[in-house]
Amino acid sequence: MGRLFGTDGVRGVANAELTPELAFKLGKSGAHVLSKDKARPVVLIGKDTRLSGDMLEDALSAGILAVGGNVIKVGVLPTPAIAYLVRAYKADAGVVISASHNPFEYNGIKFFNRDGFKLDDEIEDEIEDIILRDIDVNSHITGDKLGRCLEADDDALDRYADFLKSTLDVDIKGRKLVLDCANGAAYRIAEKVYSELGADITVIGNEPNGVNINDACGSTHPDKLQEEVIRQGAFLGMAYDGDADRLIAVDEKGRIIDGDKLICICAQMMKDRGELPGDLVTATVMSNIGFHKYVEGMGCKVEVTSVGDRYVLESMLKTGCNIGGEQSGHIIFRNHTTTGDGILSSLQLLQAVILSGKLPSELSDGIEIFPQVLKNARVKNENKGKFREDPEVEAAIAAAEKDLEGEGRVLIRPSGTEPLVRVMLEGQDAVSYTHLTLP
C-alpha cells in the first residue's frame, strides 16, 4: 500500500479505494495524533454533497469516538468553512469529507489542525504510519471513556456567512451577479451571503442530488455560467468547485477570468491599499508567464512554490505574503483566513473591480496570458513518479525546450489528487506547439 496522503488529503473512489474501513482508521489515528495532549479531543466534521459523504462521515466519526474523542457534525459546508469554524468552536481538529473538483464517485478526507491550517507532511506521515503499520492506538477503551456525538450549534452556517460578509468593504447592493455552486458545498451559503449583501443574483448549480456535484457545472465546467452571464446581462459570474475552495470568474462579456488573472487583479487592489507586505505575491510553478510579467510590472515579486495550496500557504507563512494561489482558482488571502476560499475570493474580486472603477473585462484584458497546452496521461498511482527516471522522456523534454528557444517551457508533474501525470507546454503563441511531441 502506497502513501495515503496526496497534496490535498486522502482521496480515491469511494467504497473502492477510500473505504469505510480506511475512514474509520483515519478517524482513530487522526484524532490520536492531533489531540495527544487532550483526554477528550473535539473534532469538527463537515462534508460536501456527494452520495458517499454519509457513509464516510459515520465511519470517520466511529473511529474518533473509539479513541475517546467527541464529534461535532456541521453537515454540508465548504472546506474553508471548516477551517474557520474549527477556530470559532475552539475544536481540537477539523475534518472535511470532499473530493473537491473530482467527479462524484470520488471522495476524500482532509484534516485541519486547531488553528485552521492543513497538516504538515510530518503530521500526515505520523497518521499514515499508524495505519500502514496497523498500530492499535485506542487499546479498546470502554465505558465512559468512549466519545460521543455532540449537537452542533444551529448557527454554524450563520457564523461563517457573517465572517465572509465582514471581509467586504464596498457596497454591492443591486449588482447583477450569477453564481454557479457546482451542485456542491456552496449551494446554500453563497446565495445567503450575496443575498444578505443586497446583490441581484441568479444562482445555478444549486440543486445537489448526491451524484451531480461538478457535473458539467462549477469552476471546472464554466460554460453554463458564461451563457447565463450573457443572458442576464450580469456584471460578473462566479463559479465555485465542489467544496467551494476555488473560484473561476466570468466577465460581463462572458469570458473566463482564471486564477492567474484573479490573483493579479486582487493583488493590484491590495498593493493600492497598502495590504501587500514586501510587495510579494506567491504562486506555483504552473502560473503563466504572463502572470509573472504583470506582477513584475506592478513593481512586485513572485515567490514560486510546488503545486498545491498547502505549499503556497507554507511559503506565505514564511515570507509574510498576504496573497497567493494557483491558476486553478485556489487563492489564499492570508490577511483574512488560513486556506483557499472560493466565496471569499469572489467577494475580494468584486471589491477589486468596484474600487478600480473599471469593468471586469477591462481589468482582465490588461493581463496578457500566454498560451498553454495541457495534457493528462493516466497512470497507476504507484507509477506517477517514474517519468523522472525515463531517459526517453528526458530527451523529449530537452528537445522540446530547445525548439522553444527560451521563449517557453515544458513542465511535467504528477497529480497530487488523481492517478495522472500532467504535461504542460507554454510559449508566446500556440503555433510554437504544432511541431512538438512528447512520448
Side-chain angles (χ1 to χ4, degrees), residues 197-257:
L197 287 168
D200 177 4
I201 58 169
T202 298
V203 187
I204 62 175
N206 63 334
E207 297 180 351
N209 61 14
V211 300
N212 62 356
I213 187 171
N214 300 315
D215 184 12
C217 59
S219 64
T220 52
H221 303 281
D223 309 44
K224 291 179 182 176
L225 177 63
Q226 292 175 278
E227 294 171 3
E228 195 63 30
V229 165
I230 296 299
R231 184 180 297 115
Q232 297 290 337
F235 183 68
L236 260 177
M238 321 286 198
Y240 311 112
D241 65 335
D243 68 336
D245 62 357
R246 297 187 187 194
L247 168 72
I248 293 295
V250 171
D251 69 20
E252 81 284 358
K253 295 181 179 181
R255 300 178 305 175
I256 299 294
I257 307 176

Side-chain angles (χ1 to χ4, degrees), residues 14-321:
N15 213 30
E17 297 166 327
L18 182 52
T19 62
E21 292 82 1
L22 178 54
F24 177 75
K25 291 177 181 179
L26 284 165
K28 285 176 64 176
S29 56
H32 172 75
V33 169
L34 290 170
S35 309
K36 288 180 179 177
D37 58 340
K38 290 287 289 289
R40 184 73 75 186
V42 176
V43 182
L44 195 74
I45 300 179
K47 60 186 176 181
D48 67 21
T49 57
R50 290 165 211 269
L51 185 65
S52 58
D54 293 347
M55 173 188 75
L56 295 172
E57 180 184 47
D58 285 346
L60 182 74
S61 299
I64 296 166
L65 302 177
V67 294
N70 288 339
V71 169
I72 301 176
K73 298 179 181 180
V74 295
V76 174
L77 278 174
T79 287
I82 306 308
Y84 170 76
L85 291 170
V86 73
R87 290 169 284 151
Y89 279 78
K90 295 182 171 57
D92 297 291
V95 187
V96 178
I97 302 168
S98 174
S100 188
H101 59 284
N102 292 154
F104 90 94
E105 60 266 25
Y106 287 83
N107 217 325
I109 294 175
K110 46 192 168 185
F111 291 86
F112 289 96
N113 65 22
R114 66 188 58 182
D115 297 315
F117 292 107
K118 290 182 180 177
L119 304 187
D120 295 333
D121 287 342
E122 296 78 15
I123 298 177
E124 287 186 346
D125 288 343
E126 189 176 353
I127 294 171
E128 188 168 284
D129 184 59
I130 290 171
I131 295 173
L132 298 185
R133 291 171 60 197
D134 200 23
I135 298 171
D136 191 354
V137 296
N138 72 333
S139 300
H140 302 286
I141 60 174
T142 59
D144 63 0
K145 292 181 180 178
L146 291 169
R148 64 189 304 176
C149 284
L150 306 176
E151 291 293 326
D153 292 349
D154 58 8
D155 67 346
L157 186 140
D158 290 333
R159 282 197 196 194
Y160 178 52
D162 288 343
F163 157 69
L164 290 171
K165 290 184 292 182
S166 74
T167 68
L168 192 68
D169 297 328
V170 297
D171 185 0
I172 65 169
K173 288 186 178 66
R175 291 281 177 178
K176 199 170 186 59
L177 308 171
V178 181
L179 311 177
D180 183 348
C181 297
N183 291 315
Y187 85 100
R188 292 183 300 166
I189 186 70
E191 182 173 359
K192 176 181 175 64
V193 167
Y194 277 99
S195 293
E196 292 179 357
L197 287 168
D200 177 4
I201 58 169
T202 298
V203 187
I204 62 175
N206 63 334
E207 297 180 351
N209 61 14
V211 300
N212 62 356
I213 187 171
N214 300 315
D215 184 12
C217 59
S219 64
T220 52
H221 303 281
D223 309 44
K224 291 179 182 176
L225 177 63
Q226 292 175 278
E227 294 171 3
E228 195 63 30
V229 165
I230 296 299
R231 184 180 297 115
Q232 297 290 337
F235 183 68
L236 260 177
M238 321 286 198
Y240 311 112
D241 65 335
D243 68 336
D245 62 357
R246 297 187 187 194
L247 168 72
I248 293 295
V250 171
D251 69 20
E252 81 284 358
K253 295 181 179 181
R255 300 178 305 175
I256 299 294
I257 307 176
D258 71 3
D260 280 345
K261 286 192 172 187
L262 295 173
I263 296 169
C264 288
I265 292 168
C266 291
Q268 183 67 68
M269 171 190 70
M270 295 172 72
K271 180 176 172 63
D272 293 343
R273 303 180 82 188
E275 298 173 351
L276 208 61
D279 290 331
L280 189 63
V281 178
T282 305
T284 76
V285 293
M286 291 292 288
S287 289
N288 196 277
I289 294 173
F291 167 89
H292 288 267
K293 290 182 177 293
Y294 184 88
V295 172
E296 290 162 6
M298 287 167 45
C300 297
K301 303 182 293 292
V302 180
E303 183 77 16
V304 179
T305 77
S306 299
V307 173
D309 66 296
R310 59 188 299 171
Y311 303 116
V312 172
L313 178 62
E314 183 180 287
S315 173
M316 293 171 71
L317 292 172
K318 287 180 181 176
T319 63
C321 178

